[in-house]
Amino acid sequence: MLADLIQNTLDGLSIGAAYALLALGFTLIFGVLRRANLSYGAAIMFGCYCATWTHLNFGAGLLLLAAITVAGTVLAGAYVERLCFAPHRGGSMIAAMVASFALWMQFEELVTLVMPTHLYAFPALYEGAPLAFGPYTLRVDALVMFGAAIAACALLWGTLYRTRFGLAVRAVTEQPAAASLAGINLPWVYVRVFALASAIGGVAGYLVVASHGQITPMLGMWSTLKGLLAMMLGGLGSLPGAVVGGLALGLLEAHSQWFLGPQLRDLIAYLLLFVLLAARVPWMHTRSAS
Amino acid sequence: MSLLKIQDVVTAYGKIEALKGVSLEVAPGSITCLLGPNGAGKTTLMMTVAGILKPRKGGISFAGEEIAGRAPHDIVARGVALVPENRLVFPAMTVLENLLAGAYQRGDKKAVAEDIDRMYARFPRLRERSAQHAGTLSGGEQQMLAVARALMSRPRLLLMDEPSLGLAPLVVEEIFRIIAELHRDGVSIFFVEQNAHMALKVAQHFFLIEQGRISFSGTPGALAEDEVIRRAYLGSAQQ
């Protein structure tokens, strides 16, 4: 029993680290642009399909595939930014959100047009046996996922708190008007934040697909849902909250799957979100005031 | 030649014109005050000069260059800084980071560090609270920080939108003392104020804005002599 609990915790943390990355990308865009980007997951899926296509046609090493995933996601993100967000600056929140939903459909159609099979294999991060520590096992790819996610978080942290660009991002997040009065070029910050968030999403997407060893067009929906859920659990717009929310979601899923079975796993996460929203827990409403 | 020249500026929110053709000039090296009732367009005018709002018509020139319609960061680069109404400090950033954000466009790290020291000398309270989040400061301290942040861009013209708003009388006196000091150091100042008594002590020229139009322009003496203005802005007419 205890061994199972510990095993579930380890599994939950490793998938939770990927959720945390997805939530960080969402949070960056939401915090800085005050807009929800619904095509975030679809852009990640596009990036992952770029890598899958390259792998099928030319074969490529793991690092190259990861780089292609990130590059493809950033490219798709740039397309979304130009089409949905740049024209609506200072304008309607809904217009940008609905437009980004339309691009989600575009990405799905494009991907199924070029690669019509529902499921493609994706090269696994590691194919050997899991590491055994007494009664516990730890999948090497899960460990890599956790490590890479933590490294990405640390890199993001350094960027936000130790660089001039990071100072601008935080200033724009807190007080957009005051940031522009301080001489910060807002559109310049928006475009770069979008690229950064897309790159983080690309890393998360690659890690998830490589650890599953397969890819389907559902990845877009999956990434958007997990990212949104983790972001909301941690409190809208809070970067540390996104990490906590992601890890919490991973743990919750791993444990509820073990106790209640896979059918109820997702239900539990939504139920928790519903309860927390209904109870108006304080950390979820930090942004609503400003 | 005037430092700031505003000509027939119209700024609108949708169909509602908040500024209906405002013209005024600010002389270099002066302290100029804009008085007016709530909703007259004072904040709109400040935001238009700073580039947050785009004028629908009219021209704004600063030091001979047209700045109307330019982006705020571009206007900051030309030497105009606005201390916005309600201060708008970055609450979850430290006092030091707030100051660094104010110097965002400057690449000269050494000179920025020197300016930060200068700000700390002028506002000792900010030095004590350097590592504290700006959101934890008192209203007066936040106002000092907002002024210091604006000065970090080394402006030639400092715009201030109601610097005394919501502050205790002692703090208000300190703010006006600082305005006078900054002026002595060579910064031109154009500020919005409801507290006409305090403004009379420092400003050299007054404009009155009512319903989106300038209705008075003159010296403090002329302002104090105007019976109607006195009754409306200086309270008791018997003084």
Side-chain angles (χ1 to χ4, degrees):
Chain A
M1 174 73 185
L2 182 67
D4 288 325
L5 279 179
I6 292 173
Q7 185 66 55
N8 290 338
T9 302
L10 291 174
D11 294 345
L13 284 176
S14 63
I15 185 69
Y19 292 163
L21 282 182
L22 289 171
L24 277 174
F26 252 119
T27 302
L28 266 179
I29 292 177
F30 188 82
V32 173
L33 285 86
R34 310 280 160 101
R35 303 276 187 278
N37 173 16
L38 291 182
S39 69
Y40 180 64
I44 293 170
M45 175 200 64
F46 176 81
C48 292
Y49 266 92
C50 288
T52 311
W53 186 85
T54 313
H55 172 68
L56 281 178
N57 288 283
F58 305 104
L62 293 182
L63 278 179
L64 185 62
L65 287 182
I68 291 171
T69 306
V70 172
T73 308
V74 172
L75 187 73
Y79 176 67
V80 173
E81 202 274 340
R82 285 291 101 192
L83 235 62
C84 306
F85 291 86
H88 298 294
R89 269 183 201 128
S92 161
M93 281 176 93
I94 303 295
M97 195 172 83
V98 172
S100 72
F101 183 74
L103 291 204
W104 173 352
M105 298 297 115
Q106 273 190 13
F107 286 127
E108 271 195 18
E109 290 301 320
L110 179 70
V111 157
T112 45
L113 201 68
V114 177
M115 301 180 74
T117 312
H118 182 67
L119 190 150
Y120 289 90
F122 198 90
L125 274 170
Y126 178 81
E127 285 173 307
L131 300 174
F133 302 96
Y136 313 119
T137 61
L138 210 48
R139 284 173 57 190
V140 174
D141 52 359
L143 205 61
V144 171
M145 183 153 82
F146 189 71
I150 297 299
C153 284
L155 206 64
L156 181 64
W157 204 257
T159 305
L160 287 174
Y161 287 89
R162 294 281 177 270
T163 69
R164 191 165 166 272
F165 169 66
L167 186 75
V169 172
R170 286 185 294 140
V172 174
T173 308
E174 290 192 21
Q175 286 286 359
S180 66
L181 290 174
I184 294 166
N185 182 345
L186 295 197
W188 184 90
V189 170
Y190 291 153
V191 169
R192 272 150 193 81
V193 162
F194 223 94
L196 180 64
S198 300
I200 293 170
V203 172
Y206 173 77
L207 291 171
V208 166
V209 172
S211 87
H212 287 175
Q214 62 182 53
I215 182 169
T216 76
M218 294 304 289
L219 178 71
M221 164 79 101
W222 184 90
S223 306
T224 296
L225 280 182
K226 299 298 182 191
L228 270 177
L229 200 55
M231 171 171 84
M232 291 176 80
L233 284 175
L236 286 181
S238 154
L239 292 167
V243 176
V244 174
L247 293 176
L249 180 61
L251 288 173
L252 185 73
E253 284 188 358
H255 287 293
S256 55
Q257 172 158 356
W258 189 79
F259 281 109
L260 303 165
Q263 288 84 4
L264 286 178
R265 182 190 67 189
D266 291 342
L267 194 65
I268 298 295
Y270 294 125
L271 197 65
L272 178 73
L273 181 66
F274 175 76
V275 169
L276 291 177
L277 283 174
R280 298 186 68 85
V281 290
W283 76 83
M284 283 193 172
H285 299 279
T286 48
R287 280 267 155 226
S288 56
S290 59
Chain B
M1 202 186 84
S2 52
L3 183 64
L4 179 72
K5 187 170 183 177
I6 301 173
Q7 272 182 308
D8 301 319
V9 161
V10 174
T11 303
Y13 300 97
K15 280 185 179 162
I16 299 159
E17 289 184 352
L19 302 179
K20 299 168 182 165
V22 168
S23 299
L24 62 81
E25 294 186 26
V26 173
S30 72
I31 302 184
T32 305
C33 176
L34 181 69
L35 284 174
N38 283 330
K42 302 186 300 288
T43 295
T44 304
L45 183 60
M46 288 287 160
M47 302 271 259
T48 305
V49 174
I52 300 274
L53 297 172
K54 308 279 173 239
R56 191 160 283 179
K57 287 183 208 143
I60 303 171
S61 74
F62 175 71
E65 282 185 309
E66 188 60 33
I67 57 168
R70 291 193 178 276
H73 63 94
D74 193 4
I75 292 172
V76 171
R78 283 154 199 269
V80 181
L82 168 64
V83 181
E85 189 179 15
N86 295 320
R87 339 194 212 290
L88 303 186
V89 296
F90 304 118
M93 282 161 55
T94 65
V95 167
L96 179 63
E97 286 173 333
N98 270 266
L99 295 178
L100 286 171
Y104 189 71
Q105 294 194 348
R106 296 172 52 189
D108 46 346
K109 273 192 178 172
K110 222 183 116 202
V112 169
E114 284 168 12
D115 277 2
I116 286 176
D117 263 348
R118 218 164 288 146
M119 293 306 151
Y120 284 165
R122 195 189 290 273
F123 308 103
R125 214 88 64 75
L126 296 185
R127 190 195 297 275
E128 288 165 30
R129 311 224 184 291
S130 177
Q132 234 170 281
H133 281 184
T136 65
L137 303 184
S138 71
E141 290 164 347
Q142 289 193 14
Q143 186 64 59
M144 309 285 172
L145 179 58
V147 172
R149 182 180 63 188
L151 290 173
M152 285 303 294
S153 68
R154 290 202 167 171
R156 281 190 282 164
L157 174 65
L158 184 67
L159 308 171
M160 301 170 97
D161 194 350
E162 296 222 34
S164 70
L165 189 71
L167 301 181
L170 271 178
V171 184
V172 172
E173 275 188 36
E174 203 176 343
I175 295 282
F176 277 92
R177 187 180 52 74
I178 288 160
I179 291 177
E181 269 178 33
L182 291 174
H183 175 245
R184 229 170 293 139
D185 293 350
V187 183
S188 307
I189 294 164
F190 180 33
F191 72 107
V192 163
E193 196 45 78
Q194 300 248 33
N195 188 338
H197 281 294
M198 288 305 295
L200 270 173
K201 292 181 187 169
V202 296
Q204 296 148 349
H205 197 95
F206 281 88
F207 291 102
L208 179 65
I209 186 169
E210 289 174 312
Q211 297 181 352
R213 291 194 178 86
I214 299 294
S215 58
F216 171 89
S217 165
T219 61
L223 183 83
E225 276 166 25
D226 190 308
E227 190 61 33
V228 178
I229 295 179
R230 227 176 45 184
R231 206 169 289 151
Y233 296 97
L234 299 172
S236 57
Q238 278 74 37
Q239 271 188 351

